[in-house]
Amino acid sequence: MVDRLAGMRIFVRVVEAGSFSRAASDLSLTQPAVTKHVAAIERALNVQLLNRNTRGIHVTEIGALYYERCKAVLHEIALADELIDGKRRQVQGLLRVTTSVALGRRIIAPLVVSFVRTHPHVRIDLSCEDRYVDLIAQGVDLAVRMGRLADSTYGARRLGFNPWVVIASPDYLARRGEPKSIAELERHECLVYSTVQGDDVWQMTLPNSKPAVVPVRGCLRSNNLATLLQASEAGLGIASLPHYVACEALTAGRVRRILGDHAPQGQEVHAVFPSPKHVPAKASLFVDALIGRFSGEWWLAQDMWEREPARPFERHSRLE
């Protein structure tokens, strides 16, 4: 069928050019190749479409009818190709996005609101969960992930960097003192984030840029970053959190940044796709919006469109 369509295109061009040689030049083919295609059609149809003589070519009666039908067929194919191309380029349909709970609520959700307002033909299914999601098995178009990428078969695009900070409330520091080095953390209540690997240790970066591993322990472990932030604000202990999670509490003075010269190791932020080659236009456009959101010191420019949930912790005044 592909050969037949190619033959139709060549036959139409021969008729319109009035010459095998001119048609070959127009199509960037050799004249023998053009002659071969037309002859193959004539053999397949068992008719003569063109009369050939020394003065040129002339379309037979049946050849003229076939020429008109070929033009109609090729026109319909062109319209079909344009339809597919237009659908591929048009930003519309359902876009399934997955990310972590904290990042989804604080950063991605406000971006989704803005994106949908700008692109009303796109519907977004945003899933926020702190577990690994198989993009292909669950039909996800795009994941926003922190840290090292585990699956090299996926496509990925770097969005930015996610810094972490060590924080504690003024109340806690007044009672327990402020640690001046990572070694002093052993004497403090450290609130442990239980989702990351090695959750009983904190990966730190020393002033000389060397990495250090610090064992920690405390009265609370949680897989929820908002819970750890609230516990730290309530004076339960020291927490190591992404800066974007702690930003509003730092600005309001409910917590203070400590160990500034011993920063926790940050993470790369990536957009991850099921396929490295085939990225839908709607996903590509959403990634462009993500890159804009994660540019510069993005963790300082938060969209506080959603109020913080009620805080379940009361301030401790006698935590020893």
Side-chain angles (χ1 to χ4, degrees):
M1 179 58 69
V2 173
D3 288 343
R4 177 63 64 85
L5 291 175
M8 285 182 177
R9 291 189 176 94
I10 291 171
F11 171 70
V12 167
R13 191 70 209 115
V14 169
V15 173
E16 293 175 346
S19 162
F20 282 100
S21 60
R22 282 196 292 270
S25 177
D26 292 344
L27 298 171
S28 299
L29 298 172
T30 64
Q31 183 171 332
V34 171
T35 303
K36 179 180 177 181
H37 274 284
V38 174
I41 293 177
E42 290 179 322
R43 285 196 304 272
L45 298 176
N46 195 27
V47 296
Q48 186 171 350
L49 301 174
L50 300 172
N51 287 320
R52 306 156 176 84
N53 56 42
T54 57
R55 293 189 299 273
I57 63 170
H58 301 280
V59 184
T60 65
E61 181 180 359
I62 196 169
L65 294 174
Y66 188 68
Y67 164 74
E68 293 297 334
R69 297 311 302 163
C70 283
K71 283 205 307 180
V73 169
L74 295 174
H75 177 67
E76 290 298 323
I77 291 174
L79 291 178
D81 290 345
E82 290 177 5
L83 175 65
I84 296 299
D85 185 63
K87 288 294 184 182
R88 188 176 66 249
R89 294 176 182 275
Q90 186 177 3
V91 181
Q92 64 177 5
L94 178 63
L95 177 65
R96 293 183 173 89
V97 181
T98 183
T99 190
S100 65
V101 173
L103 189 68
R105 184 176 66 82
R106 294 172 178 266
I107 305 298
I108 306 302
L111 180 66
V112 166
V113 172
S114 175
F115 185 86
V116 171
R117 286 173 177 166
T118 306
H119 305 282
H121 297 294
V122 176
R123 295 175 293 117
I124 294 185
D125 181 344
L126 176 61
S127 175
C128 302
E129 46 192 322
D130 291 330
R131 66 178 183 87
Y132 180 80
V133 175
D134 187 322
L135 304 188
I136 297 175
Q138 299 196 24
V140 175
D141 300 301
L142 169 66
V144 182
R145 289 180 172 168
M146 303 282 194
R148 183 177 60 87
L149 298 179
D151 195 328
S152 60
T153 63
Y154 290 155
R157 188 171 176 184
R158 186 183 183 277
L159 300 176
F161 184 74
N162 177 39
W164 285 51
V165 291
V166 181
I167 62 167
S169 70
D171 175 65
Y172 177 89
L173 296 175
R175 289 184 288 104
R176 299 292 298 269
E178 180 174 343
K180 301 301 182 182
S181 68
I182 57 177
E184 295 182 29
L185 289 174
E186 294 183 5
R187 303 197 301 269
H188 284 267
E189 291 286 336
C190 295
L191 309 175
V192 176
Y193 181 44
S194 59
T195 295
V196 298
Q197 288 185 339
D199 48 37
D200 287 325
V201 297
W202 286 353
Q203 306 287 335
M204 306 289 287
T205 301
L206 302 178
N208 59 8
S209 298
K210 289 185 178 181
V213 177
V214 185
V216 293
R217 62 180 180 82
C219 61
L220 175 66
R221 295 164 56 92
S222 176
N223 68 346
N224 184 272
L225 292 170
T227 297
L228 298 178
L229 173 62
Q230 294 165 24
S232 183
E233 292 180 34
L236 289 183
I238 297 172
S240 177
L241 300 174
H243 200 300
Y244 75 89
V245 173
C247 179
E248 195 268 338
L250 285 166
T251 302
R254 296 194 298 270
V255 295
R256 283 172 38 198
R257 182 175 181 177
I258 61 175
L259 296 172
D261 293 334
H262 303 76
Q265 292 182 4
Q267 304 160 306
E268 297 289 327
V269 188
H270 290 91
V272 183
F273 316 99
S275 169
K277 296 181 179 179
H278 304 291
V279 180
K282 56 193 174 185
S284 181
L285 196 63
F286 190 73
V287 169
D288 290 339
L290 286 169
I291 290 175
R293 184 63 182 86
F294 284 96
S295 64
E297 294 184 334
W298 61 270
W299 53 90
L300 299 179
Q302 297 205 48
D303 299 302
M304 302 307 295
W305 66 287
E306 179 182 335
R307 292 186 178 182
E308 291 291 327
R311 306 183 185 284
F313 297 100
E314 295 181 358
R315 272 187 196 282
H316 273 244
S317 60
R318 298 186 59 187
L319 182 62
E320 299 297 339

